[in-house]
């Protein structure tokens, strides 16, 4: 049984109507009694990294909507601890954060592999007990992380694939309409 902890995926229930989280998958980066946070990994933001950070010289690096909290901040997860110091390992070989100047330098030198780093604007956060309550209410389906999904660039497939990875019972849910009354 999967329990709340850093590195797991929170898969939105098919009928979750919250516009911030409908059909999303959140990578949980920190889980503590006082609160938790993570990043939506499958919701593309409408600007690229170079639009948001002028020092970045490469113009086609996507940014994802990490969540509705602090939409004036940029975060990242990566698989490049040898290039980016100061990150926190949340899964074997997957790190959250680190020195942003190292990231910009590595990007501008062409050293970062696009399938090993993902950028987010804002984050998803929960206050003390809030995430536990949402899980009890069945707003979220918990899953061990398939690390390939974290860095997947075809964001529209991540939610469905996350459910399919859980087996046939959940795979059926991947095709449920958002509002069954409209069927």
């Amino acid at each position: 049984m999967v329990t709340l902890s850093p590195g797991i995926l929170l898969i939105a229930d098919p009928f979750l109507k919250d516009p911030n989280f409908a059909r999303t998958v959140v990578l949980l980066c920190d889980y503590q009694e006082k609160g938790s946070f993570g990043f939506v990994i499958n919701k593309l933001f409408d600007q690229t990294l170079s639009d948001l950070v002028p020092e970045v010289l490469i113009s086609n690096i996507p940014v994802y909507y990490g969540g509705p909290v602090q939409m004036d901040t940029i975060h990242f997860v990566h698989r490049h601890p040898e290039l980016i110091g100061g990150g926190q390992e949340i899964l074997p070989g997957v790190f959250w954060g680190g020195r942003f100047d190292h990231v910009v330098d590595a990007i501008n030198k062409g050293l970062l592999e696009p399938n090993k780093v993902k950028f987010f604007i804002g984050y998803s956060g929960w206050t003390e007990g809030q995430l536990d309550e949402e899980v009890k209410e069945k707003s979220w389906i918990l899953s061990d992380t398939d690390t390939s999904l974290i860095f997947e660039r075809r964001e529209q497939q991540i939610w469905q694939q996350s459910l399919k990875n859980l087996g046939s019972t959940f795979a059926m849910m991947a095709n449920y309409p958002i509002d069954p009354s409209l069927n």
Side-chain angles (χ1 to χ4, degrees), residues 4 7 10 36 49 61 78 80 89 98 104-105 109 115 117 120 124 132 134 136 148 157 162 164 174 180:
L4 287 169
L10 305 172
S36 307
L49 189 61
I61 299 171
H78 63 91
H80 280 296
E89 193 168 29
V104 172
D105 187 53
K109 290 179 178 176
N115 62 342
V117 65
F120 306 95
S124 301
D132 295 279
E134 289 180 15
K136 284 179 193 166
S148 66
Q157 296 177 12
S162 295
K164 290 175 183 176

Side-chain angles (χ1 to χ4, degrees), residues 131-143:
L131 182 55
D132 295 279
E133 191 59 35
E134 289 180 15
V135 170
K136 284 179 193 166
E137 293 169 352
K138 300 206 182 298
S139 295
W140 299 104
I141 300 163
L142 306 183
S143 171

Side-chain angles (χ1 to χ4, degrees), residues 41-150:
I41 62 172
N42 66 320
K43 202 170 179 182
L44 192 62
F45 191 64
D46 60 359
Q47 292 179 294
T48 65
L49 189 61
S50 62
D51 293 334
L52 301 170
V53 182
E55 297 83 16
V56 173
L57 304 177
I58 297 174
S59 62
N60 63 347
I61 299 171
V63 174
Y64 294 80
Y65 171 81
V69 182
Q70 290 190 348
M71 290 290 295
D72 59 345
T73 59
I74 296 176
H75 307 270
F76 58 97
V77 293
H78 63 91
R79 299 189 96 166
H80 280 296
E82 75 286 358
L83 297 173
I84 305 166
Q88 179 178 342
E89 193 168 29
I90 56 173
L91 287 164
V94 177
F95 297 79
W96 162 67
R99 300 254 329 251
F100 200 75
D101 58 328
H102 289 184
V103 175
V104 172
D105 187 53
I107 289 170
N108 290 341
K109 290 179 178 176
L111 300 175
L112 287 184
E113 296 176 58
N115 62 342
K116 290 187 176 183
V117 65
K118 200 166 203 176
F119 294 91
F120 306 95
I121 188 158
Y123 65 91
S124 301
W126 294 268
T127 58
E128 183 176 342
Q130 183 182 7
L131 182 55
D132 295 279
E133 191 59 35
E134 289 180 15
V135 170
K136 284 179 193 166
E137 293 169 352
K138 300 206 182 298
S139 295
W140 299 104
I141 300 163
L142 306 183
S143 171
D144 287 323
T145 301
D146 174 345
T147 55
S148 66
L149 287 177
I150 296 171

Side-chain angles (χ1 to χ4, degrees), residues 24 34 89 93 103 118 130-131 140 153 155-156 158 171 175 179:
T24 62
K34 63 183 178 192
E89 193 168 29
V103 175
K118 200 166 203 176
Q130 183 182 7
L131 182 55
W140 299 104
R153 295 289 188 214
E155 68 281 342
Q156 65 279 12
I158 294 173
N175 296 316
D179 187 347

